[in-house]
Amino acid sequence: MKLKLASIATLSLVTCAAAAQSSVTIYGMADSGILSISNNSNPALGYLPNASNGGAITGVKDGGMGLSFWGIRGSEDIGSGIKANFNLRGNFSTQTGAGGGPNSSGGTSLFNQEANVGLSGDFGSIKAGRVIAPVFYAFAATDVRGGAYFGSSLTGLIGMNSATGAFAGSNSNAPIATIYNDNAIVYVSPKISGITASFEYAFGEVAGNAAAGRQIVGTLAYDDPHLKLDAIYYSGNDNGIVASLNPQGHTTNRLMQIGALYTFESLSLSVGYWKAENPTFPGAGVNPAKFGGAATTGRLTMMNYGVGYRISPQLNLTSGVYSIKDGNNAANKSVMYVVGTDYALSKSTKLYLEAADVNNRGSNMNQSPVYAQPVTAGVSTHAWMAGINHRF
């Protein structure tokens, strides 16, 4: 009997120890508000506004700071300082309750943002599957507006993508420097003297041509209490609407970016420089009719500037300017001005109010102040949004 009880006790201790070494967490964010925007357009109609109201629309919108999402992530200590990790994450709509979001094939997936598994330890971390690309984390860290879905470096990047004609404006899976990548392996180094490096290789998986559909990313980031720096190199093959239909291994998208953010007490200043090009097809072309037949370009630059000021621990002000220029046609340019404020009700909940003005000039310039909310090319757009953001 004593032996039996001892065995049961030992088994219980082992089971408890194993359970203590593993963890699974449900996490996410719900973000909803009222959006008012002029010159809203439908990409299926060639970025043409509604004739009756010029494309103006006011209504409930999911995602001012970011699109709502939920996820499941877990970690297991497998010994020797190494952990096994997984992450499943996808969007949902606070407008309709629908789950899932756009994937790389143009459809929808339940876990459209992340679905990966990997290892981490003193060597850094490595994961494989569908990932949020290191590109996003790098540039979001050096912009006072971060990677917000209303007026930030993210929406500026989408504006550059739209100008190439490779991108519909409502799906960030096929532009220059894609945000979400399939079939990827990502390595992130440990932080050494404030510096972290990351490398991503996304397999194109086209039979007989290893270069077709391939994506390569490298980033460097420096982080201390006052200064953040980042540098990005991205090379993508056969990205975009046309090239992806018949991938040949052509380098169609190349992006280089450097950014800096400096914080002194309550004041933050940021600056970034972006250069994007289509090395294989550098000349101007024409969008498919689906996108209005607008002229496209193979060379673009963007400058972004930001100022932020924290009035109190709860109240924060941010502003930014995002200026895009067409290297093949100086008449094509776009400038977005953004201001915003957020107030923390708690560690998890914020109220926000933000406004933007975008001056688009040229048939291929349709920078939008709101992610996944395409606007008409070549005309000015104004928008404001007020909402609530809750993380769990």
Side-chain angles (χ1 to χ4, degrees), residues 48-345:
L48 298 177
N50 185 301
S52 63
N53 61 8
I57 186 172
T58 299
V60 175
K61 172 72 170 64
D62 183 283
M65 291 185 168
L67 292 181
S68 300
F69 71 88
W70 74 283
I72 305 171
R73 60 189 174 200
S75 177
E76 179 189 14
D77 188 341
I78 59 177
S80 301
I82 299 175
K83 292 183 178 180
N85 312 295
F86 76 90
N87 196 358
L88 306 174
R89 171 173 161 172
N91 290 124
F92 66 87
S93 172
T94 57
Q95 295 170 273
T96 64
N103 58 31
S104 298
S105 63
T108 59
S109 298
L110 176 60
F111 298 115
N112 63 303
Q113 292 190 333
E114 292 203 65
N116 53 70
V117 64
L119 300 172
S120 62
D122 292 339
F123 61 88
S125 67
I126 187 168
K127 58 186 175 182
R130 180 165 172 85
V131 302
I132 298 177
V135 165
F136 174 78
Y137 298 112
F139 71 69
T142 57
D143 179 7
V144 295
R145 293 283 302 164
Y149 278 43
F150 187 107
S152 72
S153 288
L154 174 62
T155 58
L157 174 61
I158 301 306
M160 296 177 73
N161 296 332
S162 297
T164 68
F167 177 51
S170 58
N171 185 329
S172 64
N173 288 282
I176 295 174
T178 51
I179 302 302
Y180 307 109
N181 293 335
D182 291 340
N183 313 317
I185 295 178
V186 176
Y187 168 74
V188 180
S189 75
K191 183 182 290 188
I192 301 174
S193 299
I195 298 174
T196 304
S198 66
F199 176 78
E200 176 190 345
Y201 188 97
F203 295 84
E205 299 194 351
V206 175
N209 189 342
R214 180 183 65 197
Q215 299 179 77
I216 298 173
V217 179
T219 70
L220 282 175
Y222 175 79
D223 184 9
D224 74 16
H226 296 289
L227 179 64
K228 298 181 187 295
L229 303 171
D230 87 284
I232 296 171
Y233 176 83
Y234 169 90
S235 178
N237 293 355
D238 306 308
N239 286 357
I241 306 300
V242 178
S244 62
L245 297 176
N246 183 28
Q248 299 292 313
H250 298 305
T251 304
T252 52
N253 296 307
R254 182 176 293 154
L255 176 77
M256 290 169 282
Q257 183 265 359
I258 54 173
L261 184 149
Y262 184 78
T263 300
F264 178 74
E265 295 183 348
S266 299
L267 179 67
S268 295
L269 304 172
S270 64
V271 63
Y273 172 77
W274 308 64
K275 180 180 180 181
E277 60 184 354
N278 184 334
T280 305
F281 308 107
V286 177
N287 276 332
K290 178 179 179 181
F291 306 113
T296 64
T297 184
R299 191 157 55 95
L300 295 158
T301 59
M302 180 172 73
M303 290 292 302
N304 66 270
Y305 309 92
V307 178
Y309 187 75
R310 184 165 293 280
I311 298 175
S312 72
Q314 293 79 31
L315 184 60
N316 188 40
L317 301 177
T318 57
S319 63
V321 178
Y322 305 85
S323 177
I324 301 172
K325 294 184 178 180
D326 185 336
N328 290 334
N329 187 337
N332 295 340
K333 53 188 176 182
S334 174
V335 182
M336 174 171 62
Y337 304 92
V338 186
V339 293
T341 181
D342 59 81
Y343 183 82
L345 299 175

Side-chain angles (χ1 to χ4, degrees), residues 357-388:
D357 182 87
V358 185
N359 187 351
N360 287 312
R361 292 290 178 264
S363 61
N364 68 328
M365 289 291 166
N366 55 344
Q367 181 178 193
S368 173
V370 186
Y371 179 89
Q373 196 84 20
V375 299
T376 310
V379 296
S380 297
T381 299
H382 320 283
W384 62 263
M385 186 169 181
I388 183 170

